[in-house]
Amino acid sequence: MPAEDPVTADLIRRLDATEAPLPLVQALAQDFASGRFPDPELALNGLRAALAAAAETAALAGENETLKQVAALNAAGDRAGAAVLLDGATEEPLLSAAFRQDRICNAPRTGGGAADRTAQGRRPRGGRVPGLGRSAL
């Protein structure tokens, strides 16, 4: 997947991430260069954060087969495929990996879902936390 447009090529050049997997760098750069970020520095920072999240997942994969698969899919640029493997995660280390994957996919709505799964697991039965109003949930 070549970086054909000049904005994507510029992001990749400025990133200077020689250790990151090229397919992931290209996929992320194309996503961040697509115009959602009006400021090139903001796009570059988002790209760096997403690559750091992917590197952290890869480093923590250890003996966890799911995390190994997630890391491999991310390295190949298949961020959506990696996210599917973490869909529905409710326990560590997969829950933390799901939060990182939300960052890699630049999907804040998915992140809200992961945060909601965490909150669901920590709420007492009935869904109410004493001392917190309804808006806090």
Side-chain angles (χ1 to χ4, degrees):
M1 165 181 2
E4 296 175 10
D5 68 278
V7 177
T8 300
D10 184 55
L11 270 177
I12 292 172
R13 180 189 54 77
R14 291 176 60 206
L15 179 65
D16 191 34
T18 56
E19 295 180 21
L22 186 59
L24 178 60
V25 170
Q26 289 174 331
L28 286 168
Q30 287 177 339
D31 186 35
F32 281 93
S34 68
R36 286 191 288 183
F37 298 94
D39 178 14
E41 287 302 313
L42 185 61
L44 185 60
N45 289 338
L47 178 56
R48 286 181 177 138
L51 286 171
E56 185 176 352
T57 294
L60 296 174
E63 298 299 314
N64 187 299
E65 289 303 317
T66 300
L67 290 183
K68 285 180 183 179
Q69 292 174 354
V70 167
L73 287 170
N74 278 333
D78 186 2
R79 299 168 296 150
V84 168
L85 292 177
L86 296 168
D87 190 35
T90 58
E91 295 183 16
E92 294 299 333
L94 299 182
L95 184 59
S96 291
F99 278 111
R100 287 190 301 274
Q101 196 64 33
D102 294 342
R103 181 68 188 110
I104 296 163
C105 293
N106 195 30
R109 287 173 290 153
T110 307
D116 190 46
R117 288 191 301 272
T118 301
Q120 288 289 344
R122 294 185 179 154
R123 283 189 209 151
R125 290 184 189 246
R128 302 291 308 241
V129 177
L132 291 179
R134 199 159 186 62
S135 64
L137 298 177

